Amino acid sequence: MEVTGGRCCGGTVRGRMEGRGSYTLPTGTEYRGELKDGLFHGEGVLLFPGGGRYQAVWNRGVPAEGKYTFADGLEYEDEKWHYCDGYDRRFYTEICSSLKPAGISQLTNLDPPRKIPAGCYDCGDGFYNPETRIVIDYKLRFLRNADDDEHEWIIRTCRKAEDEKTGHKPKPRKWVLLDNNNPKQTGDECK
C-alpha cells in the first residue's frame, strides 16, 4: 500500500488483502467489505468523502451490480432516471421539502448553499480558482489541476462566488412632471 498511498485494515494472504476489511484510497474514498486476492470481491461499499456511497456486489475488482446513493439520500436509478431532467428541474431537497416561495431562489441542492471563496467557482466536488487553475475539496484540500477543457466547462456552467450582494432589488421609480408641474412617480397610474 506504500506505493499507492492507500491504507488497508484487515487480513492478508500472500501479501494481498483477503477476507473482510477496509481500504482507504489517497483521495479519502473508503471501501468496506469483502476482499479476495487483493481485489474488492463479494459484498462491499465505497464511501465517498462528500457523503455519497456505492453499495455493490464485486467480482474480482469490478462491480457486478450496485446502487449509488447521493449524500442527501437520493438514490441513482440507472433506468428511468427522472431527477433534474427536462421536465422537472427541482433539486432533490425541493422534491422532499417543497419549493420555496416565489422570489426566493434555491441555487443548489444544499440550502443554504455553500459559501464560495471570492473569485472561485463551485464545481461540484470542490472549489475552483480560475487564476491558479486548481480545484480544492470543500475542506480546502488539493484535488487536482484543471486542464483547458475543465477550465472552460467550469467557467461556462458552474456557480461563481457572488461579487455583490444579491436578492430582491426594488424597481427604480422614474419621476415625471405633470402639466401643473407636480412630480408624480411612474407606475402609480393604477393606484
Side-chain angles (χ1 to χ4, degrees), residues 82-96:
H82 296 295
Y83 175 65
C84 250
D85 63 10
Y87 299 103
D88 187 353
R89 301 295 297 166
R90 294 177 295 166
F91 290 109
Y92 184 62
T93 51
E94 292 175 309
I95 293 169
C96 294

Side-chain angles (χ1 to χ4, degrees), residues 65-127:
E65 60 181 79
K67 177 171 61 171
Y68 183 81
T69 305
F70 293 90
D72 61 8
L74 175 65
E75 292 180 359
Y76 175 74
E77 297 174 22
D78 197 24
E79 305 206 8
K80 298 181 182 175
W81 178 250
H82 296 295
Y83 175 65
C84 250
D85 63 10
Y87 299 103
D88 187 353
R89 301 295 297 166
R90 294 177 295 166
F91 290 109
Y92 184 62
T93 51
E94 292 175 309
I95 293 169
C96 294
S97 305
S98 78
L99 294 172
K100 301 266 182 220
I104 300 175
S105 297
Q106 184 168 337
L107 302 174
T108 70
N109 195 44
L110 292 176
D111 189 34
R114 284 184 182 89
K115 175 129 176 69
I116 304 170
C120 295
Y121 293 80
D122 184 345
C123 58
D125 60 347
F127 301 120

Side-chain angles (χ1 to χ4, degrees), residues 4-151:
T4 64
R7 295 183 313 272
C8 67
C9 181
T12 59
V13 173
R14 295 182 309 279
R16 294 178 180 256
M17 300 177 293
E18 189 84 30
R20 289 206 55 82
S22 68
Y23 178 74
T24 304
L25 291 101
T27 61
T29 299
E30 181 182 2
Y31 172 81
R32 292 182 191 167
E34 299 172 26
L35 301 149
K36 184 175 181 180
D37 197 26
L39 300 171
F40 305 162
H41 189 81
E43 292 185 14
V45 61
L46 279 173
L47 304 167
F48 297 95
R53 56 186 295 125
Y54 184 67
Q55 183 83 37
V57 175
W58 302 81
N59 185 6
R60 301 181 70 195
V62 178
E65 60 181 79
K67 177 171 61 171
Y68 183 81
T69 305
F70 293 90
D72 61 8
L74 175 65
E75 292 180 359
Y76 175 74
E77 297 174 22
D78 197 24
E79 305 206 8
K80 298 181 182 175
W81 178 250
H82 296 295
Y83 175 65
C84 250
D85 63 10
Y87 299 103
D88 187 353
R89 301 295 297 166
R90 294 177 295 166
F91 290 109
Y92 184 62
T93 51
E94 292 175 309
I95 293 169
C96 294
S97 305
S98 78
L99 294 172
K100 301 266 182 220
I104 300 175
S105 297
Q106 184 168 337
L107 302 174
T108 70
N109 195 44
L110 292 176
D111 189 34
R114 284 184 182 89
K115 175 129 176 69
I116 304 170
C120 295
Y121 293 80
D122 184 345
C123 58
D125 60 347
F127 301 120
Y128 175 67
N129 183 332
E131 291 181 16
T132 61
R133 291 189 169 219
I134 292 175
V135 178
I136 56 174
D137 68 12
Y138 295 123
K139 294 180 181 177
L140 308 181
R141 298 175 300 197
F142 176 84
L143 282 180
R144 65 185 173 278
N145 293 308
D147 62 16
D148 289 342
D149 290 338
E150 185 177 24
H151 170 82

